[in-house]
Structure formats: C-alpha cells, structure tokens
Amino acid sequence: LTGVPREQRAFQYLLAHAIPGDPQHVLQTFDQWCYRCEHLSCVGPIKGRIVERLLLQRAPLRVLELGTYCGYGTVLLAQGLPPGARLYTVEVNPGHAAVAEKVIRLAGFDEQMVELIVGPSEEVIPQLREKHGLLKVDFIFMDHWKRCYLRDLRLLESHQLLAQGATILADNVLFPGAPHFLQYAKTSGKYHCKVHRASLEY
C-alpha cells in the first residue's frame, strides 16, 4: 500500500534500531523485524548457527555467496570470517542489491572485505577470476534460486574455482528443494555430503 518494498521497510527499521558497526546487533534487529512485522526469506537465527559453526571449523579465506537478497546472510558470513578473508556476494536483483549494500555497510564491512556483485550468477561466475581476482573459493554459500544450484556448481567446477577441500553449503535443498543438485552431490563421487536438519526461517 505504501509503494515501498518490504525489503526497504526492513532497512528503515534497521536504520532506526540497529547499532551501526555491530553486525550481531544488525542480525538481531533483522530477526526482530521478521518475527514481529514482515516475513523475509533470510537465513534466520536457527540456520544461522549452522553457518557460524561451519565457518568456525573451516576458517575460509575466500568465500562466495550466491544470493545476497537483503544482506542478512552476507553479514552472517562476514562476521564469522578470519582476519584477511574476503567475501564475494552475488545478487541478480538490483533493488535487493541496493538494500543489501546499505545493510552490509551499516554492519561495518567495507568493500575490501565484502564485494557485492550485481548480475546473474551464470554470467558472474565465469568472470570471477579475470574481473574480480577470485582465483579459488574455499567456502560457497548457495541461497539463490534452487533450480540454479546444480548449474552453478558445475560452472564453479568447469572454471576450476573450487579450492581443494572446499565447502559448499546449500540452503533449502529439501524444501522447496533442489533434487538434481542433491542427487549430483551424492552420486558424482566428488563430494562428501551431510544434510543439516533445520526449520524454515522464522
């Protein structure tokens, strides 16, 4: 009714209530909005703990996020990275990317640590090495269109962007579901698979 997208409304709430430069408080304020006001398909705090645990275990230096949306997952990833790490996040929707950029900077992460790339993942991935200087990826977080998961994994493989022992974390593979991706990951012989049980966000 207001003509303001809900993602922008969520950002206005963050501006009013979140502590700038405090990524944990930015995430908590996001959660408050999503629980009390409007649902946004962010990672959320429950699945967020899985992400945090894996980052702590792996301590990746080069991270790729596919599907920035409002920047919730980006802030979650960035706050869990070791010193000197760099995060590349890809968003196809320019409107969502504009909100995400503001959220990421509000949380205190500059362009040296987090680079937001706007464009379709199938176009961005082949350009990561030459255009963005990303030679190998240690950790990939897939949270974009589920039908793109398998295509983008194969793109990462064909452009030799996966570091030895890289971790690929893919959200919502059971519901709404990414069956072809899951089948490939389990049967290709290239990956060790583990399914983390969790509820949907919020």
Side-chain angles (χ1 to χ4, degrees), residues 120-190:
S121 53
E122 71 270 24
E123 293 178 13
V124 172
I125 290 171
Q127 299 175 339
L128 283 172
R129 181 174 282 113
E130 289 184 8
K131 196 170 178 182
H132 302 279
L134 180 57
L135 304 180
K136 295 283 182 183
V137 185
D138 307 305
F139 192 103
I140 298 101
F141 182 45
M142 292 186 171
D143 194 16
H144 56 327
W145 295 107
K146 311 312 160 211
R147 57 182 162 73
C148 301
Y149 280 15
L150 179 55
R151 180 201 68 196
D152 288 350
L153 178 58
R154 284 179 162 157
L155 273 175
L156 288 164
E157 290 174 350
S158 65
H159 286 85
Q160 300 180 327
L161 286 164
L162 297 176
Q164 188 72 31
T167 298
I168 298 149
L169 182 60
D171 194 19
N172 295 339
V173 292
L174 298 180
F175 182 85
H180 299 297
F181 167 85
L182 206 53
Q183 178 74 8
Y184 178 77
K186 286 179 175 178
T187 61
S188 68
K190 300 176 182 179

Side-chain angles (χ1 to χ4, degrees), residues 19-180:
I19 300 169
D22 185 337
Q24 192 59 46
H25 195 262
V26 167
L27 294 176
Q28 288 170 357
T29 308
F30 236 132
D31 292 335
Q32 287 171 5
W33 172 265
C34 293
Y35 277 124
R36 299 174 186 174
C37 302
E38 291 182 281
H39 177 270
L40 295 173
S41 52
C42 305
V43 179
I46 296 170
K47 289 190 285 190
R49 284 194 284 272
I50 297 170
V51 178
E52 289 171 336
R53 187 174 73 244
L54 286 170
L55 288 174
L56 193 62
Q57 290 171 359
R58 303 290 194 269
L61 290 175
R62 295 292 174 265
V63 177
L64 176 65
E65 179 187 33
L66 299 176
T68 316
Y69 190 39
C70 291
Y72 184 106
T74 316
V75 172
L76 181 69
L77 289 164
Q79 73 163 359
L81 294 182
R86 185 161 169 76
L87 168 59
Y88 302 79
T89 182
V90 180
E91 174 56 45
V92 66
N93 184 310
H96 294 165
V99 172
E101 179 87 44
K102 291 183 278 192
V103 170
I104 294 161
R105 306 311 169 210
L106 179 69
F109 301 111
D110 61 19
E111 292 176 7
Q112 294 304 309
M113 185 170 183
V114 178
E115 181 178 345
L116 175 59
I117 305 166
V118 183
S121 53
E122 71 270 24
E123 293 178 13
V124 172
I125 290 171
Q127 299 175 339
L128 283 172
R129 181 174 282 113
E130 289 184 8
K131 196 170 178 182
H132 302 279
L134 180 57
L135 304 180
K136 295 283 182 183
V137 185
D138 307 305
F139 192 103
I140 298 101
F141 182 45
M142 292 186 171
D143 194 16
H144 56 327
W145 295 107
K146 311 312 160 211
R147 57 182 162 73
C148 301
Y149 280 15
L150 179 55
R151 180 201 68 196
D152 288 350
L153 178 58
R154 284 179 162 157
L155 273 175
L156 288 164
E157 290 174 350
S158 65
H159 286 85
Q160 300 180 327
L161 286 164
L162 297 176
Q164 188 72 31
T167 298
I168 298 149
L169 182 60
D171 194 19
N172 295 339
V173 292
L174 298 180
F175 182 85
H180 299 297

